[in-house]
Amino acid sequence: MTNTAVSRSLFESVGLGPLTLPHRLVMAPLTRNRATADGVPTPLMATYYAERASAALIIAEASTPNAEGQTYPNITAIHGAAHVEGWRRVTEAVRAEGGRMFLQLQHGGRVGHPDTSGLLPVAPSAIALPETIHTPDGRRPAVVPREMTAEDIRSTAADFAAAARNAIEAGFEGVEVHGANGHLLHQFLARGTNRRTDGYGGSVTNRIRFVVEVAEAVAEAIGPERVGLRVSPGNTVNGIDEGDTAEIYPALVTALADSGLAYLHIVHADPENPVHQRIRKDWPGTLIANPVLPQDRIPDDGGLAQGERLLAAGADLIALGRPFLANPDLIRRMRTGAPMNQVRDAYLMYVGGPTGYTDYPSLPADA
């Protein structure tokens, strides 16, 4: 049975910068640790993403803009020629299936370990992650990061810009700057991880400065219409304590409102949350909303109801993660009301190889 009730909204064509998207359902970035040890995307990843090319837009998993930014083993990077070539194989496979891709750029900041990257992590302040971290040799206590100097801040912003240029060379339509989930940019925003006393710490105006500078540097490098920014207001993952969430995000939105960015992407968006409502009111451009779905199962509708709720509250695009992971043909299943695959053992998401990655079945062609 076709879901005609949603076909006029979630399934309608919509513009995004220079792109025309066939519908409003975006594949959210999902780090799955299938790259080589030095961050090069593998042929298996090309298969995985090509299988999911029916998404309106694929936002590919977090890639580090420099070696210091590496978080965990076998995550992708985009700061070397081999990375560009590896990602080009992925984008070509997706384009051959009619898809479009952005690449998420992520620097882990204090979410990193010398056993993984060979380097001491850097962060806004010398405050360690308050938990253990996964390394090639298992979980290890987090280390105290080195506080970034003014030159580190400038060079890191430049690395983001260079990574964005590499992404375009690799065939991506654009990039998403990762300012969420407790990684470096989020660490600058939050009082608990940013104890600086210079122009990048203290007041909200100072704490949003690095995020704004990175977004502007990336926009200047490849054009603002090819750049998105992801944020996660109030998210406490990776030991984050923002302290003044209701002040941070209106200030950040105001600072970037005239930048011409392609979109702002909110993680775990809640249309009843006053911060979400304020962001939608103040952000003049496209808003991507990532709904909160049950942790124990994918909804029978794949997230359609939550997507409709967010559209009604002003979102323009809906980003889904696990539903796309477990259902390579998610859009077809949503359109026809077909049953959803459920995510199997969550740990299979991160162990490498095809199991729990490229072995989820699609519907038969004649179904």
Side-chain angles (χ1 to χ4, degrees):
M1 181 177 67
T2 301
N3 289 290
T4 56
V6 298
S7 64
R8 293 185 300 275
S9 52
L10 282 171
F11 295 130
E12 69 184 0
S13 178
V14 62
L16 179 68
L19 302 177
T20 299
L21 307 184
H23 52 81
R24 297 178 183 268
L25 292 157
V26 172
M27 181 175 170
L30 294 166
T31 294
R32 288 298 174 260
N33 307 74
R34 258 69 178 190
T36 65
D38 54 356
V40 177
T42 59
L44 183 67
M45 293 174 60
T47 299
Y48 168 78
Y49 281 115
E51 288 175 343
R52 289 153 179 82
S54 60
L57 175 70
I58 294 173
I59 306 174
E61 63 202 80
S63 281
T64 57
N66 59 29
E68 281 182 326
Q70 184 176 3
T71 51
Y72 308 114
N74 301 104
I75 67 165
T76 63
I78 189 65
H79 53 82
H83 305 139
V84 172
E85 183 57 33
W87 273 123
R88 186 179 292 117
R89 290 191 291 267
V90 176
T91 61
E92 288 175 350
V94 170
R95 188 168 291 111
E97 296 297 325
R100 297 142 297 277
M101 297 186 79
F102 270 42
L103 178 65
Q104 188 182 71
L105 306 181
Q106 172 195 275
H107 190 300
R110 70 176 185 171
V111 184
H113 198 281
D115 288 357
T116 302
S117 67
L119 300 167
L120 184 68
V122 297
S125 299
I127 303 170
L129 184 74
E131 56 197 62
T132 60
I133 187 169
H134 186 61
T135 76
D137 298 316
R139 299 199 70 86
R140 294 286 186 268
V143 299
V144 177
R146 178 175 63 81
E147 181 172 307
M148 295 173 74
T149 65
E151 176 54 32
D152 290 330
I153 290 172
R154 286 190 293 271
S155 65
T156 300
D159 288 343
F160 270 92
R165 288 189 289 269
N166 285 343
I168 299 302
E169 183 181 348
F172 288 96
E173 305 285 356
V175 302
E176 176 178 277
V177 175
H178 196 1
N181 297 356
H183 298 292
L184 181 65
L185 273 64
H186 201 183
Q187 292 161 28
F188 270 88
L189 294 177
R191 285 196 309 206
T193 45
N194 185 346
R195 306 286 177 81
R196 302 179 71 93
T197 58
D198 62 2
Y200 291 91
S203 68
V204 166
T205 299
N206 287 351
R207 281 184 280 128
I208 68 171
R209 181 179 171 189
F210 181 58
V211 179
V212 172
E213 289 180 351
V214 169
E216 290 178 342
V218 172
E220 182 177 356
I222 63 172
E225 73 281 359
R226 295 183 180 275
V227 180
L229 172 65
R230 197 181 207 211
V231 295
S232 55
N235 194 338
T236 60
V237 69
N238 287 317
I240 286 291
D241 175 14
E242 290 177 341
D244 42 13
T245 302
E247 287 73 46
I248 292 170
Y249 293 94
L252 182 61
V253 166
T254 297
L256 292 172
D258 296 329
S259 63
L261 296 186
Y263 64 80
L264 185 66
H265 182 179
I266 302 179
V267 180
H268 294 167
D270 177 2
E272 304 300 320
N273 186 303
V275 175
H276 178 95
Q277 295 170 355
R278 176 70 182 273
I279 290 173
R280 176 65 287 186
K281 177 177 178 292
D282 292 350
W283 180 249
T286 296
L287 187 72
I288 301 180
N290 166 232
V292 180
L293 298 180
Q295 286 294 313
D296 59 342
R297 70 183 314 275
I298 294 170
D300 292 341
D301 66 359
L304 281 177
Q306 285 285 59
E308 283 288 342
R309 178 168 171 255
L310 285 162
L311 284 184
D316 300 293
L317 298 168
I318 305 302
L320 299 171
R322 288 175 295 118
F324 272 110
L325 169 69
N327 296 275
D329 56 349
L330 178 65
I331 303 305
R332 183 182 175 204
R333 290 172 188 265
M334 286 181 161
R335 286 184 181 275
T336 63
M340 295 289 160
N341 296 327
Q342 292 296 319
V343 174
R344 299 196 297 276
D345 183 346
Y347 293 102
L348 294 177
M349 297 183 192
Y350 309 106
V351 297
T355 304
Y357 189 62
T358 55
D359 61 345
Y360 284 103
S362 294
L363 294 169
D366 58 352

PDB file of all heavy atoms in Angstrom, residues 83-99:
ATOM      1  N   HIS A  83      43.499   9.485   0.258  1.00  0.00           N
ATOM      2  CA  HIS A  83      42.132   9.675   0.758  1.00  0.00           C
ATOM      3  C   HIS A  83      41.230  10.177  -0.359  1.00  0.00           C
ATOM      4  O   HIS A  83      40.093   9.709  -0.521  1.00  0.00           O
ATOM      5  CB  HIS A  83      42.120  10.664   1.926  1.00  0.00           C
ATOM      6  CG  HIS A  83      43.030  10.298   3.042  1.00  0.00           C
ATOM      7  ND1 HIS A  83      43.801  11.231   3.706  1.00  0.00           N
ATOM      8  CD2 HIS A  83      43.312   9.099   3.619  1.00  0.00           C
ATOM      9  CE1 HIS A  83      44.512  10.625   4.645  1.00  0.00           C
ATOM     10  NE2 HIS A  83      44.232   9.334   4.611  1.00  0.00           N
ATOM     11  N   VAL A  84      41.715  11.146  -1.110  1.00  0.00           N
ATOM     12  CA  VAL A  84      40.930  11.702  -2.214  1.00  0.00           C
ATOM     13  C   VAL A  84      40.597  10.615  -3.227  1.00  0.00           C
ATOM     14  O   VAL A  84      39.441  10.487  -3.666  1.00  0.00           O
ATOM     15  CB  VAL A  84      41.690  12.870  -2.878  1.00  0.00           C
ATOM     16  CG1 VAL A  84      40.970  13.323  -4.152  1.00  0.00           C
ATOM     17  CG2 VAL A  84      41.833  14.033  -1.909  1.00  0.00           C
ATOM     18  N   GLU A  85      41.579   9.825  -3.583  1.00  0.00           N
ATOM     19  CA  GLU A  85      41.359   8.782  -4.573  1.00  0.00           C
ATOM     20  C   GLU A  85      40.382   7.729  -4.047  1.00  0.00           C
ATOM     21  O   GLU A  85      39.504   7.251  -4.775  1.00  0.00           O
ATOM     22  CB  GLU A  85      42.686   8.126  -4.962  1.00  0.00           C
ATOM     23  CG  GLU A  85      42.564   7.070  -6.056  1.00  0.00           C
ATOM     24  CD  GLU A  85      41.932   7.611  -7.328  1.00  0.00           C
ATOM     25  OE1 GLU A  85      42.132   8.807  -7.655  1.00  0.00           O
ATOM     26  OE2 GLU A  85      41.218   6.834  -8.001  1.00  0.00           O
ATOM     27  N   GLY A  86      40.524   7.356  -2.776  1.00  0.00           N
ATOM     28  CA  GLY A  86      39.609   6.376  -2.196  1.00  0.00           C
ATOM     29  C   GLY A  86      38.180   6.877  -2.171  1.00  0.00           C
ATOM     30  O   GLY A  86      37.236   6.146  -2.515  1.00  0.00           O
ATOM     31  N   TRP A  87      38.003   8.125  -1.785  1.00  0.00           N
ATOM     32  CA  TRP A  87      36.654   8.699  -1.765  1.00  0.00           C
ATOM     33  C   TRP A  87      36.111   8.874  -3.175  1.00  0.00           C
ATOM     34  O   TRP A  87      34.896   8.768  -3.393  1.00  0.00           O
ATOM     35  CB  TRP A  87      36.648  10.027  -1.019  1.00  0.00           C
ATOM     36  CG  TRP A  87      36.464   9.910   0.459  1.00  0.00           C
ATOM     37  CD1 TRP A  87      37.291  10.366   1.444  1.00  0.00           C
ATOM     38  CD2 TRP A  87      35.342   9.318   1.133  1.00  0.00           C
ATOM     39  NE1 TRP A  87      36.770  10.085   2.681  1.00  0.00           N
ATOM     40  CE2 TRP A  87      35.571   9.448   2.526  1.00  0.00           C
ATOM     41  CE3 TRP A  87      34.175   8.682   0.709  1.00  0.00           C
ATOM     42  CZ2 TRP A  87      34.668   8.978   3.482  1.00  0.00           C
ATOM     43  CZ3 TRP A  87      33.271   8.207   1.660  1.00  0.00           C
ATOM     44  CH2 TRP A  87      33.533   8.352   3.023  1.00  0.00           C
ATOM     45  N   ARG A  88      36.984   9.153  -4.159  1.00  0.00           N
ATOM     46  CA  ARG A  88      36.498   9.310  -5.532  1.00  0.00           C
ATOM     47  C   ARG A  88      35.843   8.018  -6.019  1.00  0.00           C
ATOM     48  O   ARG A  88      34.820   8.046  -6.731  1.00  0.00           O
ATOM     49  CB  ARG A  88      37.632   9.718  -6.460  1.00  0.00           C
ATOM     50  CG  ARG A  88      37.144  10.037  -7.883  1.00  0.00           C
ATOM     51  CD  ARG A  88      38.264  10.459  -8.800  1.00  0.00           C
ATOM     52  NE  ARG A  88      38.815  11.753  -8.417  1.00  0.00           N
ATOM     53  CZ  ARG A  88      40.071  11.953  -8.017  1.00  0.00           C
ATOM     54  NH1 ARG A  88      40.906  10.918  -7.922  1.00  0.00           N
ATOM     55  NH2 ARG A  88      40.498  13.149  -7.694  1.00  0.00           N
ATOM     56  N   ARG A  89      36.396   6.882  -5.639  1.00  0.00           N
ATOM     57  CA  ARG A  89      35.775   5.613  -6.018  1.00  0.00           C
ATOM     58  C   ARG A  89      34.379   5.485  -5.420  1.00  0.00           C
ATOM     59  O   ARG A  89      33.470   4.921  -6.046  1.00  0.00           O
ATOM     60  CB  ARG A  89      36.654   4.438  -5.577  1.00  0.00           C
ATOM     61  CG  ARG A  89      37.956   4.312  -6.382  1.00  0.00           C
ATOM     62  CD  ARG A  89      38.655   2.998  -6.083  1.00  0.00           C
ATOM     63  NE  ARG A  89      39.191   2.962  -4.722  1.00  0.00           N
ATOM     64  CZ  ARG A  89      40.425   3.319  -4.400  1.00  0.00           C
ATOM     65  NH1 ARG A  89      41.251   3.766  -5.330  1.00  0.00           N
ATOM     66  NH2 ARG A  89      40.844   3.225  -3.157  1.00  0.00           N
ATOM     67  N   VAL A  90      34.208   6.014  -4.219  1.00  0.00           N
ATOM     68  CA  VAL A  90      32.896   5.967  -3.575  1.00  0.00           C
ATOM     69  C   VAL A  90      31.909   6.885  -4.290  1.00  0.00           C
ATOM     70  O   VAL A  90      30.786   6.494  -4.625  1.00  0.00           O
ATOM     71  CB  VAL A  90      33.008   6.358  -2.085  1.00  0.00           C
ATOM     72  CG1 VAL A  90      31.625   6.410  -1.432  1.00  0.00           C
ATOM     73  CG2 VAL A  90      33.899   5.371  -1.336  1.00  0.00           C
ATOM     74  N   THR A  91      32.301   8.129  -4.517  1.00  0.00           N
ATOM     75  CA  THR A  91      31.371   9.075  -5.145  1.00  0.00           C
ATOM     76  C   THR A  91      31.009   8.645  -6.560  1.00  0.00           C
ATOM     77  O   THR A  91      29.870   8.840  -7.003  1.00  0.00           O
ATOM     78  CB  THR A  91      31.948  10.503  -5.167  1.00  0.00           C
ATOM     79  OG1 THR A  91      33.166  10.531  -5.918  1.00  0.00           O
ATOM     80  CG2 THR A  91      32.211  11.005  -3.749  1.00  0.00           C
ATOM     81  N   GLU A  92      31.959   8.057  -7.274  1.00  0.00           N
ATOM     82  CA  GLU A  92      31.647   7.579  -8.625  1.00  0.00           C
ATOM     83  C   GLU A  92      30.633   6.440  -8.584  1.00  0.00           C
ATOM     84  O   GLU A  92      29.727   6.372  -9.429  1.00  0.00           O
ATOM     85  CB  GLU A  92      32.923   7.132  -9.324  1.00  0.00           C
ATOM     86  CG  GLU A  92      33.827   8.291  -9.731  1.00  0.00           C
ATOM     87  CD  GLU A  92      35.153   7.846 -10.310  1.00  0.00           C
ATOM     88  OE1 GLU A  92      35.466   6.629 -10.233  1.00  0.00           O
ATOM     89  OE2 GLU A  92      35.890   8.706 -10.840  1.00  0.00           O
ATOM     90  N   ALA A  93      30.754   5.555  -7.601  1.00  0.00           N
ATOM     91  CA  ALA A  93      29.810   4.448  -7.474  1.00  0.00           C
ATOM     92  C   ALA A  93      28.415   4.963  -7.146  1.00  0.00           C
ATOM     93  O   ALA A  93      27.408   4.473  -7.684  1.00  0.00           O
ATOM     94  CB  ALA A  93      30.288   3.471  -6.397  1.00  0.00           C
ATOM     95  N   VAL A  94      28.333   5.948  -6.264  1.00  0.00           N
ATOM     96  CA  VAL A  94      27.037   6.521  -5.895  1.00  0.00           C
ATOM     97  C   VAL A  94      26.438   7.286  -7.068  1.00  0.00           C
ATOM     98  O   VAL A  94      25.233   7.172  -7.364  1.00  0.00           O
ATOM     99  CB  VAL A  94      27.190   7.419  -4.654  1.00  0.00           C
ATOM    100  CG1 VAL A  94      25.906   8.219  -4.405  1.00  0.00           C
ATOM    101  CG2 VAL A  94      27.534   6.576  -3.433  1.00  0.00           C
ATOM    102  N   ARG A  95      27.246   8.062  -7.753  1.00  0.00           N
ATOM    103  CA  ARG A  95      26.735   8.832  -8.894  1.00  0.00           C
ATOM    104  C   ARG A  95      26.229   7.902  -9.989  1.00  0.00           C
ATOM    105  O   ARG A  95      25.230   8.199 -10.658  1.00  0.00           O
ATOM    106  CB  ARG A  95      27.829   9.758  -9.418  1.00  0.00           C
ATOM    107  CG  ARG A  95      27.340  10.746 -10.469  1.00  0.00           C
ATOM    108  CD  ARG A  95      28.351  11.818 -10.756  1.00  0.00           C
ATOM    109  NE  ARG A  95      28.496  12.729  -9.612  1.00  0.00           N
ATOM    110  CZ  ARG A  95      29.579  12.808  -8.849  1.00  0.00           C
ATOM    111  NH1 ARG A  95      30.629  12.052  -9.077  1.00  0.00           N
ATOM    112  NH2 ARG A  95      29.621  13.662  -7.841  1.00  0.00           N
ATOM    113  N   ALA A  96      26.881   6.770 -10.173  1.00  0.00           N
ATOM    114  CA  ALA A  96      26.435   5.806 -11.178  1.00  0.00           C
ATOM    115  C   ALA A  96      25.050   5.260 -10.867  1.00  0.00           C
ATOM    116  O   ALA A  96      24.325   4.832 -11.778  1.00  0.00           O
ATOM    117  CB  ALA A  96      27.441   4.655 -11.284  1.00  0.00           C
ATOM    118  N   GLU A  97      24.672   5.300  -9.596  1.00  0.00           N
ATOM    119  CA  GLU A  97      23.341   4.850  -9.178  1.00  0.00           C
ATOM    120  C   GLU A  97      22.361   6.013  -9.042  1.00  0.00           C
ATOM    121  O   GLU A  97      21.247   5.840  -8.534  1.00  0.00           O
ATOM    122  CB  GLU A  97      23.433   4.093  -7.851  1.00  0.00           C
ATOM    123  CG  GLU A  97      24.235   2.808  -7.921  1.00  0.00           C
ATOM    124  CD  GLU A  97      23.611   1.782  -8.859  1.00  0.00           C
ATOM    125  OE1 GLU A  97      22.362   1.729  -8.927  1.00  0.00           O
ATOM    126  OE2 GLU A  97      24.361   1.052  -9.525  1.00  0.00           O
ATOM    127  N   GLY A  98      22.771   7.203  -9.468  1.00  0.00           N
ATOM    128  CA  GLY A  98      21.877   8.354  -9.448  1.00  0.00           C
ATOM    129  C   GLY A  98      21.880   9.149  -8.170  1.00  0.00           C
ATOM    130  O   GLY A  98      21.007  10.005  -7.967  1.00  0.00           O
ATOM    131  N   GLY A  99      22.865   8.917  -7.293  1.00  0.00           N
ATOM    132  CA  GLY A  99      22.880   9.573  -5.991  1.00  0.00           C
ATOM    133  C   GLY A  99      23.754  10.808  -5.933  1.00  0.00           C
ATOM    134  O   GLY A  99      24.484  11.139  -6.870  1.00  0.00           O
TER     135      GLY A  99
END
